[in-house]
């Protein structure tokens, strides 16, 4: 595998999940694979889990790791072709991407949606800019439209906790005071499309995700109906896609409660706002899988880096 940009780069999800679980059982088994190789992690946005788990994965594989908070410490980048750079941007992506590739063998990038201009976000100018202007492998640590490392960790967590041949999995929107991107939900939907599951998305009117991504999925605007007999409930806020980036609804009735969850397992990518998105009783109880999801981020990054390193050899 050259790059890991989206869940579409997973050629066989169940095999990857099994390989990641084997790495979890023996994390240092391939420590020689990354010897002499360097990964550079570039963060245009904040992180806890992605930053630490990707570093840990790289270290487990014997790689050297460099981390840069590009968003606050790097030069403001220009992406346009032929732009007269006499305004706020100081460095063009053409030079920046090539310069980064002088220092490392793999680059991982986090650059969220700005939620101001849908076309611009969907163009993925940071991720695609680096992919276009450097020849080294790129890992997506959450871009404007996708968070494929999270979705793969979610697939591992589902596999570890599922005992049914066709579980019912519900992706439920939850309220949030800020406008959040669609990346986590998009990648979760795409990952679920690769699973044998009864999958339902529930969100208020006005919050349907990109119809290109949810094509073929069941969308139910009645949350109570959607949650019936669920085995897993994945909760996430996202801003409106049709009225792009807007917060149209903060109805606290959409918050996940222990009563609504029933016997299902609870999933969330974290960070999560307690008693806005989900009540304490769930996070503090034994139906929550959120810490295991976070733990599985290491083995997700590790399987991705292992496949990239094997391709570099
Ligand atoms: N879930 C996730 O990506 O967490 P961070 O934003 O803390 O990296």
């Amino acid at each position: 595998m050259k790059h890991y940009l989206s869940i579409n780069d997973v050629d066989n999800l169940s095999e990857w999940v099994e390989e990641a679980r084997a790495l979890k059982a023996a994390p240092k088994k391939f420590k020689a694979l990354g010897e002499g190789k360097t990964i550079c992690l570039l963060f245009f946005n904040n992180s806890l889990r992605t930053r630490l788990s990707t570093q840990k994965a790289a270290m487990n594989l014997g790689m050297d790791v460099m981390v840069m908070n590009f968003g606050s410490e790097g030069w403001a980048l220009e992406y346009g072709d032929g732009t007269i750079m006499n305004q706020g941007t100081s460095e063009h992506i053409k030079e920046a991407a090539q310069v980064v590739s002088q220092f490392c063998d793999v680059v991982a990038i986090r650059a969220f949606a700005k939620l101001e201009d849908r076309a611009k976000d969907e163009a993925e100018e940071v991720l695609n800019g680096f992919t276009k202007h450097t020849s080294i492998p790129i890992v997506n640590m959450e871009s404007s439209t996708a968070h494929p490392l999270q979705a793969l960790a979610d697939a591992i967590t589902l596999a570890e906790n599922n005992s049914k041949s066709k579980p019912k999995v519900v992706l439920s929107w939850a309220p949030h005071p800020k406008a959040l991107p669609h990346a986590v939900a998009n990648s979760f939907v795409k990952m679920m499309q690769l699973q044998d599951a009864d999958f339902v998305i529930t969100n208020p009117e006005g919050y349907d995700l990109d119809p290109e991504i949810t094509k073929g999925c069941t969308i139910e605007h009645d949350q109570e109906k959607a949650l019936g007999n669920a085995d897993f409930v994945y909760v996430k806020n996202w801003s409106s896609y049709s009225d792009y980036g807007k917060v149209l609804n903060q109805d606290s009735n959409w918050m996940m409660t222990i009563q609504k969850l029933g016997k299902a397992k609870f999933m969330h990518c974290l960070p999560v706002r307690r008693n806005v998105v989900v009540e304490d009783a769930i996070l503090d109880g034994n139906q929550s899988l959120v810490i295991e999801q976070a733990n599985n981020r290491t083995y997700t990054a590790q399987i991705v880096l292992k496949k990239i390193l094997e391709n570099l050899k």
Side-chain angles (χ1 to χ4, degrees), residues 38-73:
T38 300
I39 185 168
C40 189
L41 312 184
L42 302 182
F43 286 90
F44 290 77
N45 303 95
N46 295 349
S47 170
L48 169 61
R49 282 143 288 273
T50 305
R51 181 169 174 157
L52 296 184
S53 63
T54 310
Q55 282 192 65
K56 183 159 184 196
M59 291 188 299
N60 282 346
L61 290 166
M63 300 181 84
D64 292 318
V65 186
M66 297 195 294
V67 184
M68 181 173 179
N69 293 320
F70 208 115
S72 56
E73 295 165 355

PDB file of all heavy atoms in Angstrom, residues 38-73:
ATOM      1  N   THR A  38      11.841   7.198   9.243  1.00  0.00           N
ATOM      2  CA  THR A  38      11.286   8.299  10.046  1.00  0.00           C
ATOM      3  C   THR A  38       9.883   8.649   9.562  1.00  0.00           C
ATOM      4  O   THR A  38       9.649   8.718   8.347  1.00  0.00           O
ATOM      5  CB  THR A  38      12.195   9.544   9.926  1.00  0.00           C
ATOM      6  OG1 THR A  38      13.491   9.190  10.400  1.00  0.00           O
ATOM      7  CG2 THR A  38      11.666  10.715  10.731  1.00  0.00           C
ATOM      8  N   ILE A  39       8.989   8.871  10.520  1.00  0.00           N
ATOM      9  CA  ILE A  39       7.653   9.394  10.185  1.00  0.00           C
ATOM     10  C   ILE A  39       7.538  10.805  10.761  1.00  0.00           C
ATOM     11  O   ILE A  39       8.017  11.082  11.859  1.00  0.00           O
ATOM     12  CB  ILE A  39       6.511   8.491  10.720  1.00  0.00           C
ATOM     13  CG1 ILE A  39       5.147   9.026  10.237  1.00  0.00           C
ATOM     14  CG2 ILE A  39       6.533   8.341  12.225  1.00  0.00           C
ATOM     15  CD1 ILE A  39       3.989   8.055  10.453  1.00  0.00           C
ATOM     16  N   CYS A  40       6.941  11.684   9.974  1.00  0.00           N
ATOM     17  CA  CYS A  40       6.699  13.054  10.413  1.00  0.00           C
ATOM     18  C   CYS A  40       5.183  13.226  10.568  1.00  0.00           C
ATOM     19  O   CYS A  40       4.431  12.944   9.626  1.00  0.00           O
ATOM     20  CB  CYS A  40       7.254  13.994   9.342  1.00  0.00           C
ATOM     21  SG  CYS A  40       7.248  15.673   9.875  1.00  0.00           S
ATOM     22  N   LEU A  41       4.743  13.627  11.754  1.00  0.00           N
ATOM     23  CA  LEU A  41       3.315  13.852  12.006  1.00  0.00           C
ATOM     24  C   LEU A  41       3.053  15.358  11.975  1.00  0.00           C
ATOM     25  O   LEU A  41       3.619  16.098  12.790  1.00  0.00           O
ATOM     26  CB  LEU A  41       2.898  13.296  13.364  1.00  0.00           C
ATOM     27  CG  LEU A  41       3.334  11.864  13.739  1.00  0.00           C
ATOM     28  CD1 LEU A  41       2.731  11.476  15.096  1.00  0.00           C
ATOM     29  CD2 LEU A  41       2.924  10.865  12.677  1.00  0.00           C
ATOM     30  N   LEU A  42       2.222  15.792  11.040  1.00  0.00           N
ATOM     31  CA  LEU A  42       1.920  17.225  10.898  1.00  0.00           C
ATOM     32  C   LEU A  42       0.484  17.484  11.346  1.00  0.00           C
ATOM     33  O   LEU A  42      -0.467  16.956  10.750  1.00  0.00           O
ATOM     34  CB  LEU A  42       2.071  17.662   9.439  1.00  0.00           C
ATOM     35  CG  LEU A  42       3.432  17.452   8.777  1.00  0.00           C
ATOM     36  CD1 LEU A  42       3.393  18.000   7.346  1.00  0.00           C
ATOM     37  CD2 LEU A  42       4.546  18.107   9.575  1.00  0.00           C
ATOM     38  N   PHE A  43       0.354  18.299  12.376  1.00  0.00           N
ATOM     39  CA  PHE A  43      -0.977  18.607  12.915  1.00  0.00           C
ATOM     40  C   PHE A  43      -1.365  20.044  12.599  1.00  0.00           C
ATOM     41  O   PHE A  43      -0.752  20.975  13.104  1.00  0.00           O
ATOM     42  CB  PHE A  43      -1.015  18.366  14.423  1.00  0.00           C
ATOM     43  CG  PHE A  43      -1.038  16.911  14.771  1.00  0.00           C
ATOM     44  CD1 PHE A  43       0.137  16.204  14.974  1.00  0.00           C
ATOM     45  CD2 PHE A  43      -2.241  16.222  14.842  1.00  0.00           C
ATOM     46  CE1 PHE A  43       0.112  14.840  15.258  1.00  0.00           C
ATOM     47  CE2 PHE A  43      -2.279  14.864  15.122  1.00  0.00           C
ATOM     48  CZ  PHE A  43      -1.094  14.181  15.331  1.00  0.00           C
ATOM     49  N   PHE A  44      -2.384  20.190  11.757  1.00  0.00           N
ATOM     50  CA  PHE A  44      -2.969  21.508  11.509  1.00  0.00           C
ATOM     51  C   PHE A  44      -4.076  21.782  12.530  1.00  0.00           C
ATOM     52  O   PHE A  44      -4.609  22.886  12.582  1.00  0.00           O
ATOM     53  CB  PHE A  44      -3.529  21.599  10.084  1.00  0.00           C
ATOM     54  CG  PHE A  44      -2.444  21.624   9.021  1.00  0.00           C
ATOM     55  CD1 PHE A  44      -1.772  20.468   8.643  1.00  0.00           C
ATOM     56  CD2 PHE A  44      -2.085  22.814   8.416  1.00  0.00           C
ATOM     57  CE1 PHE A  44      -0.769  20.493   7.688  1.00  0.00           C
ATOM     58  CE2 PHE A  44      -1.083  22.858   7.452  1.00  0.00           C
ATOM     59  CZ  PHE A  44      -0.417  21.691   7.091  1.00  0.00           C
ATOM     60  N   ASN A  45      -4.449  20.732  13.312  1.00  0.00           N
ATOM     61  CA  ASN A  45      -5.501  20.867  14.334  1.00  0.00           C
ATOM     62  C   ASN A  45      -5.123  20.041  15.559  1.00  0.00           C
ATOM     63  O   ASN A  45      -4.258  19.175  15.481  1.00  0.00           O
ATOM     64  CB  ASN A  45      -6.855  20.357  13.796  1.00  0.00           C
ATOM     65  CG  ASN A  45      -7.273  21.062  12.530  1.00  0.00           C
ATOM     66  OD1 ASN A  45      -7.016  20.559  11.444  1.00  0.00           O
ATOM     67  ND2 ASN A  45      -7.887  22.214  12.657  1.00  0.00           N
ATOM     68  N   ASN A  46      -5.827  20.290  16.651  1.00  0.00           N
ATOM     69  CA  ASN A  46      -5.525  19.628  17.936  1.00  0.00           C
ATOM     70  C   ASN A  46      -5.767  18.123  17.882  1.00  0.00           C
ATOM     71  O   ASN A  46      -6.535  17.622  17.057  1.00  0.00           O
ATOM     72  CB  ASN A  46      -6.434  20.195  19.034  1.00  0.00           C
ATOM     73  CG  ASN A  46      -6.158  21.659  19.291  1.00  0.00           C
ATOM     74  OD1 ASN A  46      -5.177  22.207  18.814  1.00  0.00           O
ATOM     75  ND2 ASN A  46      -7.038  22.280  20.056  1.00  0.00           N
ATOM     76  N   SER A  47      -5.158  17.436  18.843  1.00  0.00           N
ATOM     77  CA  SER A  47      -5.357  15.991  18.955  1.00  0.00           C
ATOM     78  C   SER A  47      -4.842  15.490  20.296  1.00  0.00           C
ATOM     79  O   SER A  47      -3.867  16.021  20.821  1.00  0.00           O
ATOM     80  CB  SER A  47      -4.604  15.274  17.836  1.00  0.00           C
ATOM     81  OG  SER A  47      -4.593  13.882  18.053  1.00  0.00           O
ATOM     82  N   LEU A  48      -5.465  14.450  20.807  1.00  0.00           N
ATOM     83  CA  LEU A  48      -4.902  13.674  21.923  1.00  0.00           C
ATOM     84  C   LEU A  48      -4.629  12.251  21.427  1.00  0.00           C
ATOM     85  O   LEU A  48      -3.490  11.806  21.340  1.00  0.00           O
ATOM     86  CB  LEU A  48      -5.882  13.659  23.114  1.00  0.00           C
ATOM     87  CG  LEU A  48      -5.544  12.672  24.244  1.00  0.00           C
ATOM     88  CD1 LEU A  48      -4.196  12.977  24.870  1.00  0.00           C
ATOM     89  CD2 LEU A  48      -6.632  12.706  25.324  1.00  0.00           C
ATOM     90  N   ARG A  49      -5.703  11.544  21.050  1.00  0.00           N
ATOM     91  CA  ARG A  49      -5.601  10.138  20.679  1.00  0.00           C
ATOM     92  C   ARG A  49      -4.769   9.898  19.421  1.00  0.00           C
ATOM     93  O   ARG A  49      -3.897   9.026  19.406  1.00  0.00           O
ATOM     94  CB  ARG A  49      -7.012   9.538  20.442  1.00  0.00           C
ATOM     95  CG  ARG A  49      -7.760   9.213  21.702  1.00  0.00           C
ATOM     96  CD  ARG A  49      -9.232   9.502  21.554  1.00  0.00           C
ATOM     97  NE  ARG A  49      -9.426  10.939  21.534  1.00  0.00           N
ATOM     98  CZ  ARG A  49      -9.577  11.691  22.632  1.00  0.00           C
ATOM     99  NH1 ARG A  49      -9.632  11.127  23.792  1.00  0.00           N
ATOM    100  NH2 ARG A  49      -9.704  13.012  22.571  1.00  0.00           N
ATOM    101  N   THR A  50      -5.041  10.670  18.383  1.00  0.00           N
ATOM    102  CA  THR A  50      -4.349  10.419  17.108  1.00  0.00           C
ATOM    103  C   THR A  50      -2.859  10.658  17.258  1.00  0.00           C
ATOM    104  O   THR A  50      -2.037   9.887  16.748  1.00  0.00           O
ATOM    105  CB  THR A  50      -4.955  11.337  16.032  1.00  0.00           C
ATOM    106  OG1 THR A  50      -6.368  11.102  15.996  1.00  0.00           O
ATOM    107  CG2 THR A  50      -4.352  11.064  14.669  1.00  0.00           C
ATOM    108  N   ARG A  51      -2.529  11.719  17.974  1.00  0.00           N
ATOM    109  CA  ARG A  51      -1.117  12.057  18.133  1.00  0.00           C
ATOM    110  C   ARG A  51      -0.372  10.962  18.906  1.00  0.00           C
ATOM    111  O   ARG A  51       0.660  10.456  18.468  1.00  0.00           O
ATOM    112  CB  ARG A  51      -1.002  13.407  18.848  1.00  0.00           C
ATOM    113  CG  ARG A  51       0.422  13.844  19.033  1.00  0.00           C
ATOM    114  CD  ARG A  51       0.488  15.283  19.496  1.00  0.00           C
ATOM    115  NE  ARG A  51       1.855  15.633  19.805  1.00  0.00           N
ATOM    116  CZ  ARG A  51       2.338  16.862  19.817  1.00  0.00           C
ATOM    117  NH1 ARG A  51       1.549  17.868  19.523  1.00  0.00           N
ATOM    118  NH2 ARG A  51       3.592  17.099  20.115  1.00  0.00           N
ATOM    119  N   LEU A  52      -0.915  10.576  20.066  1.00  0.00           N
ATOM    120  CA  LEU A  52      -0.189   9.612  20.906  1.00  0.00           C
ATOM    121  C   LEU A  52      -0.225   8.205  20.317  1.00  0.00           C
ATOM    122  O   LEU A  52       0.776   7.482  20.363  1.00  0.00           O
ATOM    123  CB  LEU A  52      -0.760   9.629  22.324  1.00  0.00           C
ATOM    124  CG  LEU A  52      -0.596  10.962  23.080  1.00  0.00           C
ATOM    125  CD1 LEU A  52      -1.113  10.835  24.502  1.00  0.00           C
ATOM    126  CD2 LEU A  52       0.858  11.432  23.096  1.00  0.00           C
ATOM    127  N   SER A  53      -1.367   7.801  19.764  1.00  0.00           N
ATOM    128  CA  SER A  53      -1.453   6.431  19.240  1.00  0.00           C
ATOM    129  C   SER A  53      -0.593   6.252  17.992  1.00  0.00           C
ATOM    130  O   SER A  53       0.029   5.204  17.811  1.00  0.00           O
ATOM    131  CB  SER A  53      -2.908   6.055  18.940  1.00  0.00           C
ATOM    132  OG  SER A  53      -3.449   6.891  17.937  1.00  0.00           O
ATOM    133  N   THR A  54      -0.527   7.292  17.144  1.00  0.00           N
ATOM    134  CA  THR A  54       0.292   7.152  15.930  1.00  0.00           C
ATOM    135  C   THR A  54       1.782   7.143  16.293  1.00  0.00           C
ATOM    136  O   THR A  54       2.561   6.382  15.718  1.00  0.00           O
ATOM    137  CB  THR A  54      -0.048   8.268  14.910  1.00  0.00           C
ATOM    138  OG1 THR A  54      -1.465   8.316  14.742  1.00  0.00           O
ATOM    139  CG2 THR A  54       0.600   8.009  13.559  1.00  0.00           C
ATOM    140  N   GLN A  55       2.148   7.967  17.277  1.00  0.00           N
ATOM    141  CA  GLN A  55       3.546   7.919  17.759  1.00  0.00           C
ATOM    142  C   GLN A  55       3.869   6.553  18.327  1.00  0.00           C
ATOM    143  O   GLN A  55       4.911   5.975  18.057  1.00  0.00           O
ATOM    144  CB  GLN A  55       3.767   8.967  18.862  1.00  0.00           C
ATOM    145  CG  GLN A  55       3.944  10.377  18.344  1.00  0.00           C
ATOM    146  CD  GLN A  55       4.450  11.311  19.440  1.00  0.00           C
ATOM    147  OE1 GLN A  55       5.540  11.169  19.940  1.00  0.00           O
ATOM    148  NE2 GLN A  55       3.619  12.265  19.808  1.00  0.00           N
ATOM    149  N   LYS A  56       2.948   6.046  19.147  1.00  0.00           N
ATOM    150  CA  LYS A  56       3.210   4.753  19.793  1.00  0.00           C
ATOM    151  C   LYS A  56       3.314   3.648  18.737  1.00  0.00           C
ATOM    152  O   LYS A  56       4.201   2.781  18.820  1.00  0.00           O
ATOM    153  CB  LYS A  56       2.117   4.438  20.814  1.00  0.00           C
ATOM    154  CG  LYS A  56       2.389   3.157  21.549  1.00  0.00           C
ATOM    155  CD  LYS A  56       1.673   3.037  22.849  1.00  0.00           C
ATOM    156  CE  LYS A  56       2.116   1.734  23.534  1.00  0.00           C
ATOM    157  NZ  LYS A  56       1.245   1.335  24.608  1.00  0.00           N
ATOM    158  N   ALA A  57       2.430   3.686  17.756  1.00  0.00           N
ATOM    159  CA  ALA A  57       2.459   2.676  16.689  1.00  0.00           C
ATOM    160  C   ALA A  57       3.796   2.721  15.957  1.00  0.00           C
ATOM    161  O   ALA A  57       4.418   1.687  15.697  1.00  0.00           O
ATOM    162  CB  ALA A  57       1.309   2.933  15.714  1.00  0.00           C
ATOM    163  N   ALA A  58       4.246   3.932  15.634  1.00  0.00           N
ATOM    164  CA  ALA A  58       5.518   4.078  14.910  1.00  0.00           C
ATOM    165  C   ALA A  58       6.670   3.567  15.774  1.00  0.00           C
ATOM    166  O   ALA A  58       7.573   2.872  15.273  1.00  0.00           O
ATOM    167  CB  ALA A  58       5.721   5.537  14.525  1.00  0.00           C
ATOM    168  N   MET A  59       6.635   3.880  17.060  1.00  0.00           N
ATOM    169  CA  MET A  59       7.712   3.417  17.961  1.00  0.00           C
ATOM    170  C   MET A  59       7.675   1.894  18.087  1.00  0.00           C
ATOM    171  O   MET A  59       8.718   1.237  18.117  1.00  0.00           O
ATOM    172  CB  MET A  59       7.588   4.091  19.326  1.00  0.00           C
ATOM    173  CG  MET A  59       7.897   5.584  19.255  1.00  0.00           C
ATOM    174  SD  MET A  59       8.002   6.411  20.852  1.00  0.00           S
ATOM    175  CE  MET A  59       6.392   6.179  21.535  1.00  0.00           C
ATOM    176  N   ASN A  60       6.485   1.308  18.158  1.00  0.00           N
ATOM    177  CA  ASN A  60       6.376  -0.159  18.221  1.00  0.00           C
ATOM    178  C   ASN A  60       7.010  -0.816  16.999  1.00  0.00           C
ATOM    179  O   ASN A  60       7.483  -1.948  17.066  1.00  0.00           O
ATOM    180  CB  ASN A  60       4.905  -0.591  18.305  1.00  0.00           C
ATOM    181  CG  ASN A  60       4.324  -0.424  19.704  1.00  0.00           C
ATOM    182  OD1 ASN A  60       5.069  -0.226  20.668  1.00  0.00           O
ATOM    183  ND2 ASN A  60       3.006  -0.489  19.812  1.00  0.00           N
ATOM    184  N   LEU A  61       6.998  -0.095  15.861  1.00  0.00           N
ATOM    185  CA  LEU A  61       7.581  -0.632  14.623  1.00  0.00           C
ATOM    186  C   LEU A  61       9.033  -0.208  14.450  1.00  0.00           C
ATOM    187  O   LEU A  61       9.632  -0.438  13.398  1.00  0.00           O
ATOM    188  CB  LEU A  61       6.754  -0.158  13.414  1.00  0.00           C
ATOM    189  CG  LEU A  61       5.354  -0.784  13.301  1.00  0.00           C
ATOM    190  CD1 LEU A  61       4.507  -0.020  12.295  1.00  0.00           C
ATOM    191  CD2 LEU A  61       5.439  -2.259  12.902  1.00  0.00           C
ATOM    192  N   GLY A  62       9.601   0.455  15.468  1.00  0.00           N
ATOM    193  CA  GLY A  62      11.022   0.828  15.418  1.00  0.00           C
ATOM    194  C   GLY A  62      11.321   2.094  14.646  1.00  0.00           C
ATOM    195  O   GLY A  62      12.488   2.390  14.343  1.00  0.00           O
ATOM    196  N   MET A  63      10.299   2.878  14.306  1.00  0.00           N
ATOM    197  CA  MET A  63      10.521   4.103  13.528  1.00  0.00           C
ATOM    198  C   MET A  63      10.931   5.263  14.436  1.00  0.00           C
ATOM    199  O   MET A  63      10.594   5.296  15.623  1.00  0.00           O
ATOM    200  CB  MET A  63       9.233   4.531  12.786  1.00  0.00           C
ATOM    201  CG  MET A  63       8.707   3.512  11.814  1.00  0.00           C
ATOM    202  SD  MET A  63       7.203   4.097  10.974  1.00  0.00           S
ATOM    203  CE  MET A  63       7.902   5.068   9.650  1.00  0.00           C
ATOM    204  N   ASP A  64      11.619   6.243  13.854  1.00  0.00           N
ATOM    205  CA  ASP A  64      11.831   7.521  14.524  1.00  0.00           C
ATOM    206  C   ASP A  64      10.635   8.410  14.192  1.00  0.00           C
ATOM    207  O   ASP A  64      10.074   8.333  13.082  1.00  0.00           O
ATOM    208  CB  ASP A  64      13.128   8.179  14.042  1.00  0.00           C
ATOM    209  CG  ASP A  64      14.353   7.386  14.494  1.00  0.00           C
ATOM    210  OD1 ASP A  64      14.367   6.945  15.654  1.00  0.00           O
ATOM    211  OD2 ASP A  64      15.265   7.177  13.676  1.00  0.00           O
ATOM    212  N   VAL A  65      10.257   9.275  15.156  1.00  0.00           N
ATOM    213  CA  VAL A  65       9.043  10.085  14.990  1.00  0.00           C
ATOM    214  C   VAL A  65       9.359  11.562  15.194  1.00  0.00           C
ATOM    215  O   VAL A  65      10.014  11.927  16.167  1.00  0.00           O
ATOM    216  CB  VAL A  65       7.950   9.675  16.022  1.00  0.00           C
ATOM    217  CG1 VAL A  65       6.651  10.417  15.734  1.00  0.00           C
ATOM    218  CG2 VAL A  65       7.724   8.174  16.020  1.00  0.00           C
ATOM    219  N   MET A  66       8.905  12.386  14.259  1.00  0.00           N
ATOM    220  CA  MET A  66       8.978  13.846  14.427  1.00  0.00           C
ATOM    221  C   MET A  66       7.545  14.378  14.386  1.00  0.00           C
ATOM    222  O   MET A  66       6.749  13.942  13.548  1.00  0.00           O
ATOM    223  CB  MET A  66       9.804  14.481  13.306  1.00  0.00           C
ATOM    224  CG  MET A  66      11.259  14.020  13.317  1.00  0.00           C
ATOM    225  SD  MET A  66      12.318  15.061  12.298  1.00  0.00           S
ATOM    226  CE  MET A  66      11.687  14.726  10.679  1.00  0.00           C
ATOM    227  N   VAL A  67       7.242  15.294  15.301  1.00  0.00           N
ATOM    228  CA  VAL A  67       5.877  15.845  15.371  1.00  0.00           C
ATOM    229  C   VAL A  67       5.950  17.353  15.239  1.00  0.00           C
ATOM    230  O   VAL A  67       6.793  17.995  15.875  1.00  0.00           O
ATOM    231  CB  VAL A  67       5.191  15.493  16.708  1.00  0.00           C
ATOM    232  CG1 VAL A  67       3.746  15.981  16.717  1.00  0.00           C
ATOM    233  CG2 VAL A  67       5.245  13.995  16.964  1.00  0.00           C
ATOM    234  N   MET A  68       5.078  17.927  14.408  1.00  0.00           N
ATOM    235  CA  MET A  68       5.026  19.388  14.278  1.00  0.00           C
ATOM    236  C   MET A  68       3.567  19.856  14.322  1.00  0.00           C
ATOM    237  O   MET A  68       2.715  19.329  13.613  1.00  0.00           O
ATOM    238  CB  MET A  68       5.657  19.814  12.951  1.00  0.00           C
ATOM    239  CG  MET A  68       5.650  21.310  12.769  1.00  0.00           C
ATOM    240  SD  MET A  68       6.561  21.794  11.301  1.00  0.00           S
ATOM    241  CE  MET A  68       6.315  23.565  11.378  1.00  0.00           C
ATOM    242  N   ASN A  69       3.321  20.837  15.170  1.00  0.00           N
ATOM    243  CA  ASN A  69       1.997  21.473  15.202  1.00  0.00           C
ATOM    244  C   ASN A  69       1.983  22.535  14.105  1.00  0.00           C
ATOM    245  O   ASN A  69       2.188  23.723  14.364  1.00  0.00           O
ATOM    246  CB  ASN A  69       1.731  22.090  16.568  1.00  0.00           C
ATOM    247  CG  ASN A  69       1.606  21.029  17.636  1.00  0.00           C
ATOM    248  OD1 ASN A  69       1.007  19.973  17.417  1.00  0.00           O
ATOM    249  ND2 ASN A  69       2.188  21.280  18.793  1.00  0.00           N
ATOM    250  N   PHE A  70       1.769  22.075  12.882  1.00  0.00           N
ATOM    251  CA  PHE A  70       1.907  22.950  11.717  1.00  0.00           C
ATOM    252  C   PHE A  70       0.934  24.124  11.786  1.00  0.00           C
ATOM    253  O   PHE A  70       1.268  25.253  11.403  1.00  0.00           O
ATOM    254  CB  PHE A  70       1.661  22.131  10.439  1.00  0.00           C
ATOM    255  CG  PHE A  70       2.378  22.666   9.237  1.00  0.00           C
ATOM    256  CD1 PHE A  70       3.386  21.931   8.627  1.00  0.00           C
ATOM    257  CD2 PHE A  70       2.050  23.905   8.693  1.00  0.00           C
ATOM    258  CE1 PHE A  70       4.059  22.420   7.523  1.00  0.00           C
ATOM    259  CE2 PHE A  70       2.718  24.403   7.585  1.00  0.00           C
ATOM    260  CZ  PHE A  70       3.731  23.660   6.999  1.00  0.00           C
ATOM    261  N   GLY A  71      -0.274  23.841  12.292  1.00  0.00           N
ATOM    262  CA  GLY A  71      -1.306  24.882  12.329  1.00  0.00           C
ATOM    263  C   GLY A  71      -0.896  26.104  13.136  1.00  0.00           C
ATOM    264  O   GLY A  71      -1.241  27.242  12.784  1.00  0.00           O
ATOM    265  N   SER A  72      -0.156  25.889  14.230  1.00  0.00           N
ATOM    266  CA  SER A  72       0.233  27.026  15.074  1.00  0.00           C
ATOM    267  C   SER A  72       1.699  27.407  14.907  1.00  0.00           C
ATOM    268  O   SER A  72       2.076  28.529  15.244  1.00  0.00           O
ATOM    269  CB  SER A  72      -0.055  26.703  16.546  1.00  0.00           C
ATOM    270  OG  SER A  72       0.605  25.511  16.924  1.00  0.00           O
ATOM    271  N   GLU A  73       2.530  26.480  14.388  1.00  0.00           N
ATOM    272  CA  GLU A  73       3.973  26.741  14.356  1.00  0.00           C
ATOM    273  C   GLU A  73       4.550  26.846  12.944  1.00  0.00           C
ATOM    274  O   GLU A  73       5.681  27.323  12.782  1.00  0.00           O
ATOM    275  CB  GLU A  73       4.710  25.627  15.110  1.00  0.00           C
ATOM    276  CG  GLU A  73       4.361  25.603  16.595  1.00  0.00           C
ATOM    277  CD  GLU A  73       4.776  24.302  17.292  1.00  0.00           C
ATOM    278  OE1 GLU A  73       5.247  23.371  16.608  1.00  0.00           O
ATOM    279  OE2 GLU A  73       4.609  24.236  18.513  1.00  0.00           O
TER     280      GLU A  73
END
